[in-house]
Amino acid sequence: MKTEKVPLESGIRDLITTLYPICRSITGDGVRETLRIMKNIIPLEIVEIPTGTKVFDWEVPREWNIRDAYIKDLKGNKIVDFKDSNLHVVNYSIPVDKIIPFSELKNHLHTLPEYPDWIPYRTSYYKETWGFCVQDSRVKSMKDEEYEVKIDSTLAEGHLTYGELYIPGSIKDEVLFSCHVCHPSLANDNLSGIAVMTYLARHLMTLKLHYSYRFLFVPGTIGSIVWLASNQDKLKNVKHGLIAVNLGDPGKINFKKTRLGNAEIDRAVEAILRDSGQPYGLIDFFPYGYDERQYNSPGINLPVGCIMRTPHNQFPEYHTSADNLDFIRAESLMDSYHKILNIVDLLESNRTYFNTQPYCEPQLGKRGLYRHIGGSNATVDQMALLWVLNLADGFHSLLDIAERSGESYESLKKAADLLLQHDLLEVRDGESRSKGIQV
Ligand code: ZN
């Protein structure tokens, strides 16, 4: 593992740029190569699960790899070339090598007539077929009667590969982050989440943490099912979870809630988004989308929400060649990173306190606390101090106080820290816990 400290913004951007050309799928060397590159930044464990392994109602599929693919006219001109874009081949296509009439070939061509210069992204993981995804404008120019098609792929016994990083904290209770790593050259859907999560993990590794953290980089659907089926003993430790996806597009942040909708992670994310003062969206859980479907299935029932900017299918570039490096924005990636870090900070610091002077208000002036309020150098909000003192009754966490008071979580945390310094608050559970992280 390299120890050099790459600046955050360029690190995230460079990782996306490096991973972009790789042809990933739910299995195969593309995922391996992706995880190997990420391992230069964080000490990922790379796990291989053999083809045929039974995982709940599913089975690990055969491993797919591809070396080349093209459509040529009979004069030898390449009309469609996998080397130009790995989206050109339907992901998981079986091998093909033949000359066929265009009337037959066209049944294997996928286009986007409404965006004639974009290449669609299509997969066929569980049904054996082959196909090409092509600009509609290019298909319209194909006038010959016959074409040569070649897909040099293999579908064989092998493995499904995923990456996992566990960062121990002071307790076993853990926060789970999960993102999919199975999409080929798509920047927002897949790579933005991978890169932001990689650098979040790198940062958390430098901190003293209350919770333990687990980062999963898994192929969509089958990868999370494999992990859940293989790690059922660990599920009881997962207290909060987030899927991270689509973190680089210019849209506002959206949060899709957990199945029950009222978990601490639901409330933590909402408080951070509220406090940001920026537009955001809240989406009730529905059983579609990303791997939250698996984590929130009734038998698993983990409180895992989904943090994203624009949801899947709600931007025209979604699952097309236009979801490229030009589509994602540095400021969106950084904003996503900092908001997720703020969520982590809230979970780390969300404590329940007791007021040590609960009989009427404590006299703040004699403790010098008035210099902290009202003056031009005030760093702690007066109302935040009073709310914390009032609700520090052993029943309200800082997050409860934020929701009740409308004060920002950050100002309440500062107030609580100040009151703790002056022995006006105490924690009676005896556990030493971090007061949050520096964000
Ligand atoms: Zn996708």
Side-chain angles (χ1 to χ4, degrees), residues 75-126:
K75 296 186 207 80
N77 301 309
K78 278 189 182 169
I79 312 296
V80 176
D81 190 350
F82 174 76
K83 291 190 173 70
D84 293 338
S85 170
N86 55 39
L87 298 179
H88 272 316
V89 174
V90 171
N91 207 283
Y92 253 70
S93 281
I94 58 174
V96 56
D97 186 5
K98 59 185 176 182
I99 292 171
I100 59 170
F102 182 73
S103 58
E104 185 187 336
L105 172 60
K106 71 175 198 246
N107 297 325
H108 294 271
L109 300 181
H110 304 267
T111 66
L112 288 169
E114 62 273 38
Y115 295 101
D117 295 324
W118 294 0
I119 307 164
Y121 163 56
R122 297 282 183 271
T123 65
S124 186
Y125 303 135
Y126 302 104

Side-chain angles (χ1 to χ4, degrees), residues 121 180 182-183 186 189-190 245-246 290 312 318-319:
Y121 163 56
H180 62 285
C182 51
H183 288 23
L186 295 167
D189 183 5
N190 178 150
V245 66
N246 298 344
Y290 296 97
H312 71 91
Y318 172 76
H319 280 191

Side-chain angles (χ1 to χ4, degrees), residues 129-142:
T129 186
W130 62 270
F132 285 88
C133 302
V134 190
Q135 298 92 332
D136 193 62
S137 55
R138 195 168 299 181
V139 172
K140 288 207 164 72
S141 72
M142 294 171 72

Side-chain angles (χ1 to χ4, degrees), residues 358-373:
Y359 306 104
C360 301
E361 288 181 346
Q363 193 181 350
L364 298 177
K366 72 179 181 188
R367 295 176 173 86
L369 289 176
Y370 272 120
R371 66 186 159 84
H372 291 283
I373 57 184

Side-chain angles (χ1 to χ4, degrees), residues 337-354:
Y337 175 89
H338 287 296
K339 286 195 165 82
I340 297 171
L341 192 54
N342 282 331
I343 293 163
V344 171
D345 178 51
L346 191 159
L347 294 173
E348 285 282 308
S349 61
N350 184 27
R351 306 230 57 182
T352 300
Y353 297 100
F354 287 89

